[in-house]
Amino acid sequence: MIIDCHGHYTTAPKELQDFREQQIKGIDDPSLLASLARPNISDQQIRDSLEAAQLRLQRERGSDLTIFSPRASAMAHHIGDEKISLEWTRVCNDLIHRVVQLYPDNFVGVCQLPQSPGAPPAHSAAELERCVKELGFIGCNLNPDPSGGWWTSPPLTDRWWYPLYEKMVELDVPAMVHVSSSCNACFHATGAHYINADTTAFMQFIQGDLFRDFPTLKFIIPHGGGAVPYHWGRYRGLAQDMKRPPLEEHVMKNVFFDTCVYHQPGIDLLLKVIPTENILFGSEMVGAVRGIDPTTGHYYDDTKRYIDNSSLSAEQKHMIFEGNARRAYPRLGKILDARKSA
Amino acid sequence: MIIDCHGHYTTAPKELQDFREQQIKGIDDPSLLASLARPNISDQQIRDSLEAAQLRLQRERGSDLTIFSPRASAMAHHIGDEKISLEWTRVCNDLIHRVVQLYPDNFVGVCQLPQSPGAPPAHSAAELERCVKELGFIGCNLNPDPSGGWWTSPPLTDRWWYPLYEKMVELDVPAMVHVSSSCNACFHATGAHYINADTTAFMQFIQGDLFRDFPTLKFIIPHGGGAVPYHWGRYRGLAQDMKRPPLEEHVMKNVFFDTCVYHQPGIDLLLKVIPTENILFGSEMVGAVRGIDPTTGHYYDDTKRYIDNSSLSAEQKHMIFEGNARRAYPRLGKILDARKSA
């Protein structure tokens, strides 16, 4: 089985964006919010939005199941206040739930959280619980910078985040560390902010002792772990200079990197330096990069090809395509088994 | 000849730091500033600070010349105002000049700039000119984020920076894009802020049209280009999606990456995906990572070994060790030739 751990609903029907635009107008004119109805989207619209995109690409590229969450760049936790964020988050998560209900063999849900700049992460625990217990989701996307490029929250290792981590541990679900769009002109979203956030989170984990406090807490750092595998010597060396334990003990029991690295040499580096058990197959399709690489004739984000073409053994490939995902997302196995026997 | 493009004076005599501490106290108590004398450092102290560190490592590792600048993490442009930054900058640059005078065969100078949050980059032009014309320096370190981790300046492609670029072009000197310490708790300086800044700068260059306006302007992006080579497919794909010209034309005529990547697989990736003519040998010694890699028995930052061990041809290695540096720093050749004939 080929499990893609990183897919966002980037092709949602336009009614979703229409709702969001009305909601944003309502920030300045609250009277609009009172009458704002949730987007009216039919099952057929959902099918149409997926058939020609994610489902076609699953078939063409040969993946089976996508761990699917709302569009990351549209989370935009920096827009409006907590109440705005919560309503938008619920609308987005409920839409993912409908996708999963329509295509239970193709998708499993991961939720957006109702974060907001300055709002305690504890306030996101209820929506996480709703998504896991009521909607059957298996994880969440956690934004380390709800300010959208101003980095005003404490590091992920700060106790500020602990109440949310307690809920994650209780529910046995991981978080993908994933920022949203950037409202800081310095940072292009998918070209700088995303990658920087991945790198930043990993270094925070080195500095802190988070996994001493939460031995079963799990994070996925997407986009191949940001800059980390390329600078693996730097990170090992910094940890050593800082008298931290070796990374294998200190961080890598709890952290996974996905394979959203869009060329063969990058994937080869990832597979070479990062332990295989820490790597999850991911493509982020349909996502940040949509074109065809003229040097290969294939889509940049067809990351399965790079794994297939690597020198890993069949057993190692199986770990990356399926086995590791079952460990990273403990609820996934139960869901797959239940579906199989249904 | 082996030219290391990236060395900072991290081992300066403690009188320099004493001066800085007094200066920082003077921010709150300006009466202290009036009587603050420049640090009194003897030639012998300078020799002692280098003989057992940079000079010993040059000998041991087999490099000849280090392009040498003040300690990057100590630039701390976010401390105090423009006047504080200018005085500190001049003190640091003058000390580099003394190093170069004492060891003209081993070092050539690159200056810190008197940047300050919100201060127009134009205000840095005079100190750059002084360092180049009076002290014989061949480049500068340009901080894209003088706020120290809050990223409050416009992107490097913004016209805000143009007056400084005009001076760089006039003087024919490049800038290394180099942030300083971080006062944002999210960002570890050498483990996150440095690498993020490298990645961010490159993406800004993709988004903008800076090199159309300044065809001869040159930047060195240190630390192996941040995350860029690892995500080379992402950057090529983003440029393509954004209808930018191919990176070779759009950015790579003006941008160099150094080799401050502290393990063999990372260097191998860099050498594989980035055109050889865009790579400059650098080690950042004595710098961010000071330990010995237990997996190799060698210093992490002994980056010459990684180049030596690579599969590049002798001609390619010569480009990285010397030839490209002469192109990136047009004043370097004249200085070396003058020294030789002296």
Side-chain angles (χ1 to χ4, degrees):
Chain A
M1 186 172 199
I2 311 287
I3 300 169
D4 183 340
C5 78
H6 193 171
H8 303 295
Y9 196 7
T10 50
T11 58
K14 70 177 276 296
E15 282 77 1
L16 182 68
Q17 189 54 33
D18 292 344
F19 168 86
R20 179 60 162 170
E21 284 167 15
Q22 289 303 309
Q23 194 199 29
I24 291 171
K25 282 186 192 158
I27 294 169
D28 292 325
D29 181 359
S31 69
L32 294 173
L33 292 180
S35 61
L36 181 60
R38 290 199 164 195
N40 185 12
I41 297 173
S42 70
D43 284 355
Q44 191 56 46
Q45 283 180 291
I46 295 175
R47 286 195 191 94
D48 292 343
S49 74
L50 295 164
E51 283 290 352
Q54 289 84 354
L55 290 168
R56 176 177 65 80
L57 293 173
Q58 280 187 355
R59 284 191 300 269
E60 287 180 5
R61 300 182 184 179
S63 69
D64 299 300
L65 181 81
T66 300
I67 297 177
F68 207 53
S69 59
R71 184 176 197 166
S73 63
M75 297 190 297
H77 295 113
H78 55 276
I79 295 177
D81 58 13
E82 264 195 280
K83 206 176 148 196
I84 292 285
S85 179
L86 178 60
E87 177 66 3
W88 172 235
T89 296
R90 292 178 69 113
V91 164
C92 290
N93 289 336
D94 287 348
L95 194 60
I96 295 295
H97 182 227
R98 290 183 61 199
V99 167
V100 175
Q101 285 180 303
L102 287 170
Y103 296 98
D105 291 337
N106 299 91
F107 297 103
V108 63
V110 152
C111 69
Q112 172 175 333
L113 294 174
Q115 295 176 255
S116 188
H123 295 190
S124 287
E127 176 65 4
L128 175 61
E129 184 155 21
R130 180 182 83 91
C131 289
V132 173
K133 290 195 170 168
E134 297 176 25
L135 310 185
F137 286 17
I138 63 169
C140 59
N141 291 331
L142 177 64
N143 185 346
D145 173 29
S147 73
W150 301 106
W151 291 91
T152 54
S153 294
L156 289 175
T157 49
D158 192 279
R159 289 181 173 272
W160 166 257
W161 300 93
Y162 275 25
L164 180 60
Y165 298 155
E166 286 162 8
K167 182 57 71 179
M168 285 168 57
V169 167
E170 177 196 319
L171 297 168
D172 211 8
V173 296
M176 179 175 280
V177 179
H178 208 308
V179 288
S180 184
S181 54
S182 160
C183 52
N184 183 328
C186 285
F187 303 127
H188 184 274
T190 52
H193 193 39
Y194 282 22
I195 305 294
N196 291 351
D198 305 332
T199 308
T200 299
F202 190 81
M203 190 64 211
Q204 291 175 359
F205 295 148
I206 291 180
Q207 292 176 267
D209 282 301
L210 183 58
F211 305 120
R212 191 184 57 194
D213 290 346
F214 295 99
T216 64
L217 188 65
K218 292 188 185 72
F219 290 101
I220 298 98
I221 300 187
H223 321 108
V228 173
Y230 176 48
H231 286 287
W232 195 235
R234 172 174 286 254
Y235 291 100
R236 288 193 292 112
L238 283 171
Q240 190 174 317
D241 286 357
M242 294 161 75
K243 317 282 186 212
R244 311 305 296 164
L247 295 181
E248 296 70 33
E249 293 168 34
H250 184 50
V251 178
M252 300 308 278
K253 288 180 177 169
N254 303 79
V255 168
F256 299 82
F257 296 159
D258 78 10
T259 63
C260 293
V261 177
Y262 296 152
H263 62 150
Q264 188 73 47
I267 289 285
D268 289 343
L269 174 79
L270 171 71
L271 302 181
K272 179 163 196 170
V273 302
I274 303 300
T276 306
E277 57 262 35
N278 294 95
I279 302 174
L280 305 181
F281 171 61
S283 71
E284 204 175 2
M285 63 95 170
V286 182
V289 176
R290 305 196 175 193
I292 289 174
D293 185 342
T295 68
T296 66
H298 295 277
Y299 285 100
Y300 287 102
D301 68 358
D302 185 359
T303 55
K304 181 167 173 293
R305 288 185 64 257
Y306 308 131
I307 319 280
D308 287 340
N309 291 341
S310 75
S311 59
L312 291 187
S313 69
E315 189 186 353
Q316 287 176 309
K317 288 179 184 172
H318 173 76
M319 289 168 69
I320 290 173
F321 284 134
E322 176 180 346
N324 296 339
R326 287 178 180 262
R327 283 192 301 116
Y329 300 84
R331 286 176 171 263
L332 178 60
K334 294 171 203 156
I335 288 176
L336 294 178
D337 294 344
R339 286 178 185 177
K340 202 178 289 175
S341 64
Chain B
M1 185 172 200
I2 311 286
I3 300 168
D4 183 340
C5 79
H6 192 171
H8 302 296
Y9 196 7
T10 50
T11 58
K14 68 177 279 295
E15 282 76 2
L16 182 68
Q17 189 56 31
D18 292 344
F19 168 86
R20 178 62 161 171
E21 284 167 17
Q22 289 303 311
Q23 195 199 30
I24 291 170
K25 281 185 192 157
I27 294 169
D28 293 326
D29 182 359
S31 69
L32 293 174
L33 292 180
S35 60
L36 182 59
R38 291 200 162 193
N40 185 11
I41 297 173
S42 69
D43 284 355
Q44 191 55 46
Q45 281 180 292
I46 294 175
R47 287 196 191 94
D48 291 345
S49 74
L50 295 163
E51 284 289 350
Q54 289 86 355
L55 289 169
R56 177 178 63 81
L57 293 172
Q58 280 188 355
R59 285 190 300 268
E60 287 179 6
R61 300 181 182 180
S63 68
D64 300 299
L65 180 81
T66 300
I67 297 177
F68 207 51
S69 61
R71 184 177 198 165
S73 63
M75 297 189 298
H77 296 113
H78 56 277
I79 294 177
D81 59 12
E82 264 195 279
K83 206 178 149 196
I84 293 283
S85 178
L86 178 60
E87 177 66 4
W88 172 235
T89 297
R90 292 179 69 114
V91 165
C92 290
N93 289 337
D94 287 347
L95 193 58
I96 295 295
H97 182 228
R98 290 183 61 199
V99 167
V100 175
Q101 285 179 303
L102 286 170
Y103 297 98
D105 291 337
N106 300 93
F107 297 103
V108 62
V110 152
C111 68
Q112 172 175 334
L113 295 173
Q115 296 177 255
S116 188
H123 295 190
S124 288
E127 175 64 4
L128 175 62
E129 184 154 19
R130 181 183 81 92
C131 289
V132 173
K133 290 196 170 168
E134 297 177 25
L135 309 185
F137 286 18
I138 62 169
C140 59
N141 291 331
L142 177 65
N143 186 345
D145 173 29
S147 72
W150 301 106
W151 291 92
T152 54
S153 293
L156 289 175
T157 49
D158 193 279
R159 288 182 174 272
W160 167 258
W161 299 93
Y162 276 25
L164 180 60
Y165 298 156
E166 286 162 8
K167 183 57 71 179
M168 286 168 57
V169 167
E170 176 197 320
L171 297 168
D172 210 8
V173 296
M176 179 174 280
V177 178
H178 208 308
V179 289
S180 184
S181 55
S182 160
C183 53
N184 182 328
C186 285
F187 303 128
H188 184 274
T190 52
H193 192 40
Y194 282 23
I195 307 293
N196 291 350
D198 305 333
T199 309
T200 299
F202 190 82
M203 190 64 210
Q204 291 175 358
F205 294 148
I206 292 180
Q207 291 176 269
D209 282 301
L210 183 58
F211 305 119
R212 191 185 56 196
D213 290 346
F214 295 99
T216 64
L217 188 64
K218 292 188 184 72
F219 290 101
I220 298 99
I221 300 186
H223 319 109
V228 172
Y230 176 48
H231 286 286
W232 195 236
R234 172 174 287 254
Y235 291 100
R236 287 194 293 114
L238 283 170
Q240 190 174 317
D241 286 358
M242 294 162 75
K243 317 282 186 214
R244 311 305 295 163
L247 295 181
E248 296 71 32
E249 292 171 34
H250 184 50
V251 178
M252 301 308 278
K253 287 180 179 168
N254 304 80
V255 169
F256 299 82
F257 296 159
D258 78 11
T259 63
C260 293
V261 177
Y262 295 153
H263 62 150
Q264 188 72 49
I267 289 285
D268 289 343
L269 174 79
L270 171 71
L271 302 181
K272 181 164 195 169
V273 303
I274 302 300
T276 305
E277 57 263 35
N278 293 97
I279 302 174
L280 304 182
F281 171 61
S283 71
E284 205 176 0
M285 63 93 169
V286 180
V289 175
R290 304 196 175 193
I292 290 174
D293 185 342
T295 68
T296 65
H298 296 276
Y299 285 100
Y300 288 102
D301 68 358
D302 186 359
T303 55
K304 181 166 173 295
R305 287 185 65 257
Y306 309 132
I307 318 282
D308 287 340
N309 292 339
S310 75
S311 59
L312 291 187
S313 68
E315 190 186 353
Q316 287 175 309
K317 288 178 185 172
H318 173 75
M319 289 168 69
I320 291 173
F321 283 135
E322 177 180 344
N324 296 339
R326 287 177 179 263
R327 283 193 301 116
Y329 300 85
R331 286 178 172 262
L332 178 60
K334 292 170 205 159
I335 288 176
L336 294 179
D337 294 345
R339 286 179 186 177
K340 203 179 289 176
S341 63

